[in-house]
Amino acid sequence: MNGAAGHGSSSGQEPPAPGGQSHNRISGGTFHGPVLQAGTVYVTPPPEVDWPVVVGDVPAAAGAFQPRAAVRERVEAARAGRGTAVLTQVLTGGGGVGKTQLAADLARDALAAGVEVLVWAPARDPLTVLRLYAEAAALVRAPGVSGTAGRTEPDARRFLTWLSGTGRRWLVVLDDVADFGPDGPLWPGSSRHGNGRVLATTRQRGAHASGGGRALVPVGAYGPAEARTYLAQRLAGAGLPHLLDDGADALAAELGRLPLALGHAAAYLVNRQLGCSAYLELFRERTRPLEGVLPPDADTERYGRPVTGALLLALDAAQRTEPRGLAAPAVRLAALLDPDGHPRALWTTAAVREHLARQRAAAAPDGADPAPDPAPDGGGDGPDRAAGRRRWWPGRRARAALPPVPPPAGPPPVSADEALAVLSVLHAYHLVSVPAAAAPHREVTVHALTARAARDTDPDGWESRLAVAFALYELWPAEEHADHRLSASLRSSTSVLEEHLGADRQYYPMFLLHDRVGISLLHAGLHAAAVTHWTGAVAGLSAGAVAEGDPEWIATRHNLAAALELAGDPERAVDVSLETARVAAERYGPDDGPTLSVLDVLGTSLLAAGRSAEAVALREHLLSRHEALFGPDDPRTLGACNNLAVAHDRSGRHDRALALWERVATGLAAEEAEKAEDAAADTPRSLTLRLNLAVTHSRQGRPEQARALGERVLAASVHLLGEDHPDTLTARAALADFHAAAGREAEAAAARAGLLADAERVLGPEHPDTLTVRGDLAVSYRRTGRTAEAVALAERVLRVRLRTLGLTHPDTLLTAGNLVNCYAQQGRTGRALRLAEWVLPVKRRVLGAEHVGTVTGRHAVAVLRIRRGRTLLAADPARAAADAAAALAVLGPAAGPAADDHELLRGAAAELLDRAREAAESPGAS
């Protein structure tokens, strides 16, 4: 909740005074007071795990499933002689041979035999595997697991570590592995007790598939008896056993006895109530024109043409089922999306419904059947309105002038009910699967072989791809926090679509989708993936698609810098921002708007890298240029002033920051009354500036003005953005801060408790803003005497920040100081001292010896040494003297605005040292 620059939380702290009192204050996420730290954190034992743990959706048993006895014997044979190593078996075979169904049956058998952990992971997308591993890590309580989206990969690796050492029996199934190299899914690597097993399915069978100690288990088609039994059971189960006539064996042979092809054929027989002999005659007729429709590498077992023929026969029947004429274009759209699942809601988008209507009208016997437009060749100049079709827009520079979804001419779109009804038709014919129980936003799946056949036989493939692109863009939530699971599903389907597009991904609207994916990765906390994404985007721009210095070029590099910062590589972020600034200055000049904006982003990168002095110098330069160009009271100048204040605040120069915020407050004060009454004047930026004004009132000792203005900002934010928007949550946090600053700690605690519940729901329990609120609540609890609750909250925040940010991050240091105060108030002086002394050297190294955080850290250690020495004075004067000497040593020379406190502490330590020495020299001393 960083919408208001210069504003943050009240999670700061100050060291307890020598008399035992302690006072804390934090605002703007910036520490105002000493930061204390200690070394031991006690963790509440987690609840018991409910065994067995099953993660992922194990496919339900198919109708008339055949047990594949011969293949099972090979699976059991491969299990022999593996010792204590992880048994890794790979079911390998051509498309449609039933590998997934066999793996699912083996997984169910394993559960029945006592396996305690089962993970079923669609392995085509390595990120999906990581997500499921991370989910499993949380369920088995793997040590160090976070359980949040932003830490997916570390949690996944912790799960693999847990697997390697656990004594429980486990099975991991990686279904449909497409890449056995470093870009593929993570594989469990060891099992110390020899109780682990990995089962994978793949279409590959080369040396790479059998590397890494994997044992290949070939899976072929049904045998003659299995194929006939399948058809017999399938037709009998539908109540139509008479359809199994003398042509059954010949039909099975013509289909290559592939389970997938037999499933399509059986569906057609049932829905059309057609006997095997009659179907065989139709099948053979339709097969002849489809020779060569699949490339050789997709037909390793030479069953591609029969499978495609069976698919198209079922599709013809589906086309004649109500709603008529929609099945064929619908299955071609589904074929372009993630086969492991895409949102059912996609089918109600205007883009899909318009496309279905156009395709149905074009195929109508009594209607016009316009010839398809040629595929884009880079020379098009806009959408063909007369033909009623969307078109690819070549030329990336034109994007700024184009609407996101240009409305096409043509027939009215089909209704949402019709679009959903055609999904039911496709499901009935086994062309897609829409199970009743499916993961949210993964409700519609399609077999990869079906999808391949549908794509390869699509006469208007480019138009189908365009419709899917518009539909994905249309469905994407405007705010990523609104539904993170929907965003994840859209990201995976966009990736699949981009694979099918190849070079065409440069056309509108695909570049919009590509950018949305990158932003989504940043919001989801998948920072490493975001770095890869934006690095690729920058490389694409460098290839000449966009000129250096264009707005798109600048924005893409800004996103790469942000990804690098979040991924823990701020120095590279600085390098990216420096190059961006150089190009902008050369193209636009030193005082043009784009250059000034780029330089401000460079200041952010410098702050993230801990180069505060450079950031301050740069932003001082920017403020002077804004003053010269726009005048001292221009909103742009006030924005530059605010940003400089943030840089000073982050650098520990709080007096300078406050002076700058006072200037911003003065500049905004004249407009405040008018803006408060004019709701139309509210914008997110104006609300941020007004919130900063409220923060300034609070810092200048005007809490009632701060509270009144904060309440108006909160009301306007709810009206403009909604209750769950992150900026609204920020305004709520600020209002709680104002209560705390006015001494209304009970009100602050109540406000923060309610805010924490909403932040956990909207953002997640380990989102950085949620952690800030939890830390603020710990401070409120400590100040209101609820010390045990404060300790529990602060310990939880520190554990997460140590794991996600590391000890050197300023937020971690701040949290450690808050926990020191909690321990000190509980009377646990020794633990508080250990934590404070553990973190102090880190502050010296990271912040510098003269930074206010380091100085207050020294004071904290001194206070705790003095406090402990006083308690030891009578019983152990030698140890008391040692504590006093250590306090004097850590204090060092006085520095900065804390000089008065420094001298007070030196005096207290010297007095303790003298008394300890006198006690040690007294006749009764031992």
Side-chain angles (χ1 to χ4, degrees):
M1 293 174 290
N2 299 319
H7 161 71
S9 60
S10 294
S11 47
Q13 92 302 327
E14 66 288 344
Q21 299 179 348
S22 77
H23 307 278
N24 285 0
R25 182 168 65 87
I26 290 194
S27 189
T30 302
F31 162 72
H32 293 269
V35 177
L36 310 181
Q37 180 133 37
T40 302
V41 175
Y42 288 85
V43 183
T44 302
E48 292 294 326
V49 178
D50 185 13
W51 306 103
V53 170
V54 180
V55 176
D57 298 321
V58 181
F65 174 74
Q66 301 302 297
R68 316 296 290 272
V71 179
R72 286 174 174 273
E73 289 178 3
R74 291 196 291 271
V75 170
E76 293 302 320
R79 297 178 64 178
R82 304 297 291 190
T84 59
V86 170
L87 171 62
T88 303
Q89 298 166 291
V90 180
L91 304 181
T92 177
V97 298
K99 302 181 297 295
T100 296
Q101 277 294 324
L102 177 58
D105 196 59
L106 292 168
R108 287 188 289 271
D109 286 352
L111 276 176
V115 159
E116 295 172 275
V117 179
L118 170 62
V119 176
W120 181 282
R124 186 179 184 279
D125 179 10
L127 289 179
T128 299
V129 177
L130 288 177
R131 177 178 59 81
L132 291 171
Y133 282 171
E135 181 181 341
L139 291 176
V140 303
R141 309 285 191 264
V145 66
S146 71
T148 61
R151 298 290 298 171
T152 300
E153 183 171 352
D155 283 359
R157 294 186 180 277
R158 287 186 175 92
F159 175 61
L160 298 186
T161 300
W162 182 87
L163 289 180
S164 69
T166 183
R168 297 183 181 273
R169 296 174 60 189
W170 55 265
L171 170 63
V172 172
V173 182
L174 299 175
D175 184 41
D176 196 17
V177 178
D179 188 345
F180 288 85
D183 294 330
L186 285 178
W187 293 71
S190 63
S191 177
R192 196 170 304 153
H193 302 283
N195 55 334
R197 181 182 174 197
V198 178
L199 185 65
T201 69
T202 185
R203 297 185 184 187
Q204 302 181 35
R205 54 183 175 184
H208 53 283
S210 59
R214 294 181 283 263
L216 296 185
V217 180
V219 180
Y222 285 153
E226 288 175 320
R228 184 178 181 85
T229 301
Y230 171 85
L231 287 174
Q233 293 177 349
R234 182 74 173 82
L235 296 175
L240 301 169
H242 62 279
L243 298 182
L244 187 75
D245 57 24
D246 292 339
D249 291 338
L251 174 60
E254 192 73 20
L255 293 172
R257 302 191 184 92
L258 284 175
L260 176 63
L262 288 167
H264 286 308
Y268 187 89
L269 296 176
V270 169
N271 289 324
R272 300 295 293 170
Q273 298 194 25
L274 198 64
C276 292
S277 297
Y279 179 84
L280 178 60
E281 184 177 346
L282 290 174
F283 177 79
R284 286 172 172 167
E285 179 182 347
R286 294 296 300 269
T287 301
R288 288 193 296 271
L290 296 176
E291 291 184 6
V293 69
L294 290 178
D297 61 343
D299 186 23
T300 57
E301 301 296 336
R302 303 192 181 192
Y303 298 129
R305 292 194 295 264
V307 171
T308 306
L311 167 66
L312 294 180
L313 280 177
L315 192 56
D316 284 346
Q319 275 285 83
R320 294 191 292 272
T321 304
E322 292 293 340
R324 292 175 179 268
L326 297 182
V331 77
R332 290 162 186 160
L333 295 182
L336 295 167
L337 297 161
D338 187 352
D340 293 327
H342 66 264
R344 185 172 179 266
L346 193 79
W347 294 87
T348 64
T349 60
V352 165
R353 294 187 292 111
E354 291 167 3
H355 174 78
L356 293 177
R358 290 195 303 272
Q359 292 294 303
R360 179 164 62 183
D366 56 348
D369 188 8
D373 294 338
D377 58 3
D381 58 0
D384 186 348
R385 304 285 183 178
R389 298 183 173 208
R390 304 182 189 274
R391 288 194 58 172
W392 295 111
W393 284 71
R396 295 172 67 92
R397 288 199 203 179
R399 70 178 61 185
L402 300 176
V405 182
V414 304
S415 69
D417 287 342
E418 284 183 293
L420 295 176
V422 75
L423 279 183
S424 298
V425 172
L426 296 177
H427 178 79
Y429 282 92
H430 284 200
L431 294 168
V432 303
S433 179
V434 191
H441 307 302
R442 301 273 185 175
E443 300 93 345
V444 184
T445 62
V446 58
H447 192 281
L449 187 58
T450 302
R452 180 61 181 270
R455 289 193 303 271
D456 288 348
T457 56
D458 186 355
D460 284 328
W462 72 267
E463 190 171 347
S464 298
R465 295 192 291 269
L466 185 57
V468 169
F470 276 113
L472 290 169
Y473 188 89
E474 182 181 343
L475 188 59
W476 215 294
E479 299 287 347
E480 288 287 332
H481 69 271
D483 194 334
H484 60 87
R485 290 178 296 186
L486 174 58
S487 295
S489 178
L490 295 175
R491 287 196 304 269
S492 63
S493 280
T494 300
S495 177
V496 170
L497 178 60
E498 286 186 329
E499 291 178 12
H500 301 321
L501 285 170
D504 287 346
R505 71 181 64 186
Q506 66 180 305
Y507 295 105
Y508 176 86
M510 276 311 303
F511 52 72
L512 294 178
L513 275 178
H514 192 75
D515 290 350
R516 289 303 297 266
V517 168
I519 297 297
S520 181
L521 289 170
L522 289 171
H523 281 280
L526 297 169
H527 302 143
V531 169
T532 300
H533 178 96
W534 290 111
T535 299
V538 167
L541 298 180
S542 301
V546 175
E548 284 191 350
D550 274 5
E552 179 189 348
W553 186 90
I554 291 174
T556 302
R557 294 181 65 86
H558 284 348
N559 287 327
L560 175 58
L564 289 167
E565 291 171 17
L566 294 170
D569 196 352
E571 288 297 340
R572 278 187 62 200
V574 169
D575 292 340
V576 170
S577 296
L578 282 170
E579 176 63 14
T580 307
R582 182 191 66 78
V583 171
E586 290 178 356
R587 176 163 178 174
Y588 299 104
D591 293 332
D592 204 302
T595 303
L596 297 177
S597 175
V598 168
L599 289 174
D600 188 63
V601 172
L602 174 58
T604 301
S605 297
L606 289 169
L607 284 174
R611 296 161 64 171
S612 303
E614 296 172 75
V616 167
L618 176 60
R619 287 188 168 174
E620 285 177 341
H621 165 74
L622 286 173
L623 177 58
S624 68
R625 297 311 304 150
H626 278 82
E627 290 171 334
L629 292 168
F630 310 117
D633 299 324
D634 186 271
R636 289 166 290 188
T637 303
L638 295 177
C641 186
N642 178 79
N643 293 342
L644 176 58
V646 171
H648 279 306
D649 201 49
R650 291 276 298 274
S651 304
R653 302 179 181 91
H654 304 302
D655 52 342
R656 299 184 189 179
L658 286 174
L660 289 166
W661 272 318
E662 286 177 349
R663 174 179 169 181
V664 174
T666 301
L668 294 176
E671 305 173 32
E672 172 52 34
E674 177 183 352
K675 285 187 176 182
E677 297 174 0
D678 183 8
D682 290 331
T683 65
R685 182 177 182 276
S686 72
L687 293 178
T688 295
L689 294 177
R690 290 164 63 194
L691 192 59
N692 282 343
L693 175 61
V695 171
T696 304
H697 284 317
S698 180
R699 287 177 172 171
Q700 292 304 303
R702 299 184 289 271
E704 292 308 316
Q705 289 175 269
R707 181 188 58 79
L709 179 53
E711 288 176 345
R712 292 200 297 272
V713 171
L714 176 57
S717 184
V718 169
H719 175 76
L720 180 66
L721 303 172
E723 292 185 349
D724 288 344
H725 193 279
D727 287 357
T728 303
L729 301 182
T730 296
R732 290 175 61 185
L735 197 55
D737 293 346
F738 302 153
H739 285 310
R744 297 187 292 268
E745 286 295 346
E747 295 177 52
R752 286 167 175 166
L755 177 58
L756 178 59
D758 288 337
E760 289 179 333
R761 172 179 54 83
V762 175
L763 303 174
E766 294 194 1
H767 189 282
D769 294 344
T770 304
L771 295 177
T772 296
V773 175
R774 191 175 291 117
D776 293 348
L777 182 58
V779 171
S780 289
Y781 281 166
R782 179 177 60 79
R783 290 175 176 171
T784 54
R786 300 167 65 175
T787 312
E789 295 170 271
V791 167
L793 287 171
E795 286 181 341
R796 180 177 176 185
V797 175
L798 182 60
R799 287 196 303 270
V800 174
R801 282 182 165 161
L802 283 171
R803 172 168 41 80
T804 59
L805 301 176
L807 179 58
T808 60
H809 195 283
D811 289 351
T812 307
L813 300 177
L814 183 65
T815 303
N818 289 335
L819 182 56
V820 165
N821 281 348
C822 291
Y823 286 150
Q825 184 164 309
Q826 268 192 323
R828 299 160 74 179
T829 304
R831 179 167 297 173
L833 179 59
R834 289 193 297 272
L835 184 55
E837 291 186 328
W838 179 53
V839 78
L840 181 57
V842 181
K843 290 184 176 182
R844 287 194 177 108
R845 184 176 73 253
V846 174
L847 304 176
E850 303 306 318
H851 189 279
V852 63
T854 305
V855 172
T856 53
R858 288 157 47 197
H859 289 182
V861 172
V863 165
L864 294 166
R865 285 281 186 178
I866 292 169
R867 177 179 295 181
R868 189 175 70 175
R870 286 172 175 171
T871 64
L872 294 171
L873 185 59
D876 194 344
R879 287 185 61 196
D883 274 336
L888 289 169
V890 77
L891 283 169
D900 291 343
D901 292 339
H902 186 90
E903 290 305 319
L904 178 64
L905 289 172
R906 284 189 65 85
E911 178 189 2
L912 174 62
L913 182 60
D914 290 342
R915 292 176 59 193
R917 286 172 175 171
E918 290 175 2
E921 294 170 358
S922 65
S926 56

